[in-house]
Amino acid sequence: KIMKIRIFMLVALFVTTMGFSQRNPNNTYMSTFTYKAKAGMVDKFEKAAEKKTKMFNKEEGSIIYTYKILTGNNNGAYERYLVGQSSKSYDMDRSQELEYWDKNVAPYADPIGGQVRWMWEEWAAIGDQPEPPKYLHKTVIAYKPGMEANVARSIYRSGKVLEKRNPNAFRRVFSPVSGADLNIMVVFTGFDEFGSGWGDSETTWEQDYNEMFGWEQYANDQKMRDKSLREYNGIRRTTLEKVDW
């Protein structure tokens, strides 16, 4: 019982922190950009974007990873992730870089939406791999206003089970700061080969979950999470593949 109370208080602290942490200078942020190559210009876009990335986005504080979307409505588009940002990063003068993009890359692609800024939810991270994996499952969880605690609890606890069952697991979780619906969380799980990393287990996911968090907690947490989701597109998942630039 004491363990359950502590876990509940911990998750409640995470959720409370979300509302105030955007002004915390110690937080880590990420900016994302999505582009679709114009018809017949995929090769030109990829070559131009690769050159720009190598020129401007290989140093700490300016690193950009690019992934190609493999599934969903934006299949074939590219998502670019400017990672490892601090609050002060957004005060940097990037005019030269932006001017280069507008002149040399933008003619070959159309943006899908605009820039989105995200905060890294460090409490939900799994794995300390120095480089992002080849493939990502990107899961967008849209919840009803005021019900993020149920989603956060499910994410946190599922992560602990995932760590137990797959020691090589990779997961990162982000919440939007600007440029997107604020009542969502995005979960990235990664791997280098489909079907890799999962060994044989004598127990089920649900059994491990309940062993760690208490009797019937898996069913209860799933029920509360599902009640918190929006009726339309509560959970959406796409698969992405890393572009080696």
Side-chain angles (χ1 to χ4, degrees):
K1 184 176 181 180
I2 294 176
M3 180 180 292
K4 291 181 184 177
I5 293 174
R6 287 176 177 173
I7 293 172
F8 175 80
M9 292 178 65
L10 187 61
V11 173
L13 177 61
F14 292 153
V15 174
T16 303
T17 304
M18 291 177 197
F20 299 97
S21 54
Q22 296 173 14
R23 299 183 296 274
N24 189 333
N26 297 319
N27 284 338
T28 301
Y29 300 91
M30 173 178 73
S31 294
T32 60
F33 313 83
T34 307
Y35 299 94
K36 182 82 171 183
K38 294 180 180 179
M41 294 188 175
V42 172
D43 288 342
K44 290 183 177 180
F45 169 71
E46 288 189 348
K47 289 178 181 178
E50 179 180 9
K51 183 177 180 180
K52 182 268 179 186
T53 302
K54 290 180 177 178
M55 289 177 62
F56 293 96
N57 306 118
K58 291 299 181 181
E59 299 295 328
E60 194 72 28
S62 298
I63 294 175
I64 288 182
Y65 297 112
T66 302
Y67 279 80
K68 191 169 187 177
I69 302 173
L70 302 181
T71 62
N73 294 335
N74 290 326
N75 175 29
Y78 302 81
E79 289 198 352
R80 288 171 61 80
Y81 304 125
L82 175 60
V83 300
Q85 301 296 286
S86 67
S87 296
K88 292 184 178 180
S89 298
Y90 295 104
D91 293 325
M92 292 176 58
D93 181 6
R94 299 185 187 271
S95 57
Q96 183 180 0
E97 178 182 355
L98 295 174
E99 182 179 349
Y100 183 91
W101 178 276
D102 288 341
K103 181 178 179 180
N104 298 282
V105 187
Y108 306 124
D110 293 317
I112 300 176
Q115 177 187 169
V116 182
R117 295 177 180 177
W118 307 83
M119 183 180 69
W120 177 35
E121 302 293 355
E122 191 171 357
W123 53 267
I126 297 174
D128 56 0
Q129 295 89 331
E131 291 291 325
K134 181 177 181 180
Y135 297 102
L136 292 174
H137 283 321
K138 176 184 176 183
T139 304
V140 181
I141 304 174
Y143 53 83
K144 299 171 185 174
M147 303 192 77
E148 64 267 33
N150 294 327
V151 174
R153 180 172 57 250
S154 176
I155 290 174
Y156 173 76
R157 290 183 168 185
S158 295
K160 295 303 178 184
V161 179
L162 178 60
E163 282 184 307
K164 176 182 178 180
R165 297 178 67 87
N166 182 4
N168 298 317
F170 173 95
R171 188 182 76 173
R172 298 292 184 269
V173 178
F174 295 85
S175 57
V177 173
S178 180
D181 183 342
L182 297 182
N183 289 320
I184 64 173
M185 297 187 77
V186 177
V187 180
F188 293 94
T189 54
F191 52 97
D192 290 319
E193 294 181 2
F194 284 88
S196 64
W198 294 92
D200 295 331
S201 178
E202 297 180 355
T203 57
T204 66
W205 180 281
E206 183 173 357
Q207 287 172 334
D208 287 345
Y209 197 106
N210 289 336
E211 179 184 355
M212 296 177 74
F213 300 108
W215 184 72
E216 292 294 327
Q217 286 301 294
Y218 177 76
N220 291 338
D221 287 350
Q222 288 291 102
K223 180 180 178 180
M224 294 304 297
R225 186 205 66 177
D226 291 346
K227 286 178 61 176
S228 303
L229 299 178
R230 297 184 199 167
E231 285 76 8
Y232 179 73
N233 277 347
I235 297 181
R236 292 170 289 141
R237 176 174 294 167
T238 53
T239 301
L240 305 93
E241 182 176 9
K242 189 171 183 285
V243 181
D244 292 323
W245 288 343

